[in-house]
Amino acid sequence: MSLKFVERQQLKEKPNIKEVAFGTTFTDYMVSADYNKDDGWHDFKIIPYEPLSLDPSTAVLHYAQTVFEGLKAYKVDGETVLFRPEENFKRLNRSLERLSMPKIDENQALESLIELLKIEKDWVPNGKGEALYIRPVVFATSKSINVLPSSEYKFLIILSPVGGLFSQDGLGTTKIYTEDKYVRAVRGGVGEAKFGGNYASSMLAQEYANEKGYSQVLWLDGVEQQYLEEVGAMNIFFVKNGELYTPKLNGSILPGVTRKSIIEFARDRGYTVHEDRIHIDDFKKGLEDGSVTEVFGAGTAAVVAPVSHLNIHGEELKVGDGEVGPVAKEIYDTLTGIQTKRVEDKFNWVKEVK
Amino acid sequence: MSLKFVERQQLKEKPNIKEVAFGTTFTDYMVSADYNKDDGWHDFKIIPYEPLSLDPSTAVLHYAQTVFEGLKAYKVDGETVLFRPEENFKRLNRSLERLSMPKIDENQALESLIELLKIEKDWVPNGKGEALYIRPVVFATSKSINVLPSSEYKFLIILSPVGGLFSQDGLGTTKIYTEDKYVRAVRGGVGEAKFGGNYASSMLAQEYANEKGYSQVLWLDGVEQQYLEEVGAMNIFFVKNGELYTPKLNGSILPGVTRKSIIEFARDRGYTVHEDRIHIDDFKKGLEDGSVTEVFGAGTAAVVAPVSHLNIHGEELKVGDGEVGPVAKEIYDTLTGIQTKRVEDKFNWVKEVK
């Protein structure tokens, strides 16, 4: 691959990973590419991480045409590895399409990431639960406030080192508030795209949940406000009578890579996994009668986030004994084990950067 | 008002207004202010219109926290005037609140606009249908990709001269496609906010409508996909048996200033105006039996946009005789008349810049 490389004068001092707040520290370099109607995507390059010069009329600032991805690089035995990165670039293209934005060559995008990671290999931390968070993003750059799909776009990949999110035993628990007033997404809308606007529009409900003492929102569907969709920025799973359940993808749920991976390897391990339309009352009943023994979120950031308590229609319910359950623990250990090559990668999900 | 003013070295050459594409040319100066948690909104100033320096991690580029407004300044007898600008800044604050963004002092924002317009008075065009389009915008500027409401924001007001949108008789007609697959907004969502994400998420349906030969989309509600909401980026009105109808504000419809003004002065003129929940089948029946004689969009950009044809469930229906109807013409003439002080401003809607 012939990727233009612009070297920076001086490298940054690397921070103490234990002291870094998530998403606020970035590495020395980034991938950059541009799109216009004549040239398509062009000028892929690795350049110093530095401010962009954007006109006040830049389309993304007004009409929010922006989609992103999130994945992680891990350090294993001195080598940098990725987990199913091709899934993220496939989803990026699906998101781009939904937001009337131009698709990007998935291989070229992934190759540019790999070149970037080779240069930034010393930024990949190697402690337990630590990783280099990878943020591909595409946004509209036309200098026009006419309400039209932009005719110019920018693609960036930036990198941010992240420490372990959880306590030293690897997994903590979280409390969830079921939102029955605000709606995140609806069929026919943009809920299945990793669209920036889905995150902005979710923040108010998230703030209210925090004020009530809950760390995440459980979203219900936009039509009937009765069916489970997502939890915060994660997919949701639960264990009922020893079987796994997760809401079926319906156009308003984000198709998570962690979600997909859990379904695939849990089935391989002999679990029955149901992708269903799940009514909140059925779910609540299962919590009340004890048949639902575990609930957890699943996503790139936390991998698995066990839920200790759920507030449903104003009533707080404890999940099982309120501790991390055995299925969540097995899934977390297996997934992080595969990601860090401590568990056999029988699905060939781990990609080495070399 | 003590507003800091940074003078630019050289003024731009003013373009020929007849040749300017909407939203692509901007004046010499802009209003700028910043927000952080310690100082609140501060540093209101008028500075040269020039590129912003934004870190690649700037929150708005990833999570789309951005809301905006749109209004116009007109030149009347050599003076610059505004139409109900306080309504726009009120709505800006409602939008900010919904998107977990900090409210701004409405008076201070409006005063800063007035100072800007005094400086830019030679940019306000005076031809028929011409105006200076005003774009206030607030967006998230924290350098963080943590999914949280940003702790820093920027407020800008930029100005763009616009020519007459329509042919020389003042009003043209437009063809509308009723969207029954994609959804713009749903109750509990962000549809009533002037949120950039609502525009990004509408673009795909708009493109499909264009491909089918229609210039705008008629949006139906997100729950049942049966009730009229908006047309493109405008509110919708129709005339049935001589009375005016428009969908009732329900949380997913943008509360337009033009919509509100039409309702107010039409009632004052003796029209019966209904704000109702309107089923698409009832509306279609009215078009078929001839009781619906006019349909038009209403918004800041076009003021009034008469509809000649509507596609509903795949069937194209002509509205009346397909020409601009008398009610749309009366409303257009009255509203533009008030805006340009050719019609008595009995509601005191016009604000002079001085």
Side-chain angles (χ1 to χ4, degrees), chain B residues 38-93:
Chain B
D38 288 339
D39 303 319
W41 282 109
H42 65 285
D43 203 16
F44 278 82
K45 60 192 175 188
I46 292 175
I47 57 174
Y49 183 98
E50 63 189 9
L52 310 166
S53 175
L54 295 176
D55 195 82
S57 67
T58 300
V60 65
L61 302 177
H62 299 262
Y63 305 127
Q65 256 192 308
T66 175
V67 302
F68 69 91
E69 273 301 325
L71 64 162
K72 285 178 180 171
Y74 303 90
K75 184 76 88 180
V76 182
D77 303 333
E79 298 295 324
T80 301
V81 302
L82 294 164
F83 183 75
R84 310 187 80 176
E86 63 286 352
E87 292 290 332
N88 293 90
F89 289 105
K90 272 186 214 166
R91 187 173 62 185
L92 180 64
N93 269 340

Side-chain angles (χ1 to χ4, degrees), chain B residues 100-267:
Chain B
S100 300
M101 299 165 71
K103 292 209 280 185
I104 198 160
D105 184 301
E106 291 163 25
N107 291 326
Q108 195 174 11
L110 179 51
E111 280 174 32
S112 69
L113 168 61
I114 286 172
E115 292 302 309
L116 178 64
L117 287 172
K118 284 184 198 165
I119 293 169
E120 299 291 53
K121 63 183 186 323
D122 293 342
W123 279 92
V124 187
N126 59 11
K128 186 168 161 58
E130 295 171 0
L132 189 62
Y133 182 83
I134 298 162
R135 167 55 56 87
V137 62
V138 182
F139 52 85
T141 52
S142 281
K143 297 175 191 172
S144 167
I145 56 169
N146 199 356
V147 183
L148 284 174
S150 178
S151 53
E152 294 171 29
Y153 296 89
K154 190 174 278 295
F155 170 62
L156 297 177
I157 304 177
I158 60 176
L159 305 174
S160 179
V162 291
L165 281 167
F166 294 109
S167 54
Q168 56 195 28
D169 69 344
L171 274 177
T173 59
T174 186
K175 292 177 69 176
I176 303 290
Y177 182 84
T178 307
E179 179 57 56
D180 41 24
K181 179 182 172 197
Y182 294 109
V183 168
R184 176 187 170 277
V186 66
R187 57 88 188 79
V190 289
E192 70 182 342
K194 210 160 171 74
F195 164 47
N198 291 334
Y199 295 78
S201 61
S202 298
M203 286 175 180
L204 192 64
Q206 176 70 36
E207 286 193 306
Y208 286 145
N210 293 160
E211 281 170 19
K212 293 180 192 109
Y214 298 88
S215 63
Q216 299 278 347
V217 168
L218 171 59
W219 295 105
L220 301 179
D221 75 287
V223 177
E224 300 184 48
Q225 296 185 292
Q226 296 289 349
Y227 294 92
L228 271 56
E229 296 230 320
E230 301 186 24
V231 51
M234 296 180 284
N235 292 112
I236 183 169
F237 283 83
F238 60 89
V239 180
K240 184 175 176 177
N241 300 322
E243 300 184 345
L244 273 163
Y245 289 78
T246 192
K248 185 178 178 175
L249 299 180
N250 60 358
S252 54
I253 293 174
L254 189 83
V257 177
T258 306
R259 176 189 181 280
K260 181 178 179 174
S261 303
I262 290 173
I263 292 170
E264 288 172 23
F265 87 72
R267 281 185 178 148

Side-chain angles (χ1 to χ4, degrees), chain A residues 49 52 54-55 61 66 187 223, chain B residues 49 52 54-55 61 66 223:
Chain A
Y49 183 97
L52 309 166
L54 294 178
D55 195 82
L61 302 177
T66 177
R187 56 90 188 78
V223 177
Chain B
Y49 183 98
L52 310 166
L54 295 176
D55 195 82
L61 302 177
T66 175
V223 177

Side-chain angles (χ1 to χ4, degrees), chain A residues 195-236:
Chain A
F195 163 48
N198 291 334
Y199 295 79
S201 61
S202 300
M203 286 175 180
L204 192 64
Q206 176 70 36
E207 285 192 307
Y208 287 146
N210 292 161
E211 282 170 19
K212 294 180 192 110
Y214 297 88
S215 63
Q216 298 278 347
V217 168
L218 171 59
W219 295 104
L220 301 179
D221 75 287
V223 177
E224 301 185 46
Q225 297 186 290
Q226 296 289 350
Y227 294 91
L228 272 56
E229 296 230 320
E230 302 186 21
V231 52
M234 296 181 283
N235 294 112
I236 183 169

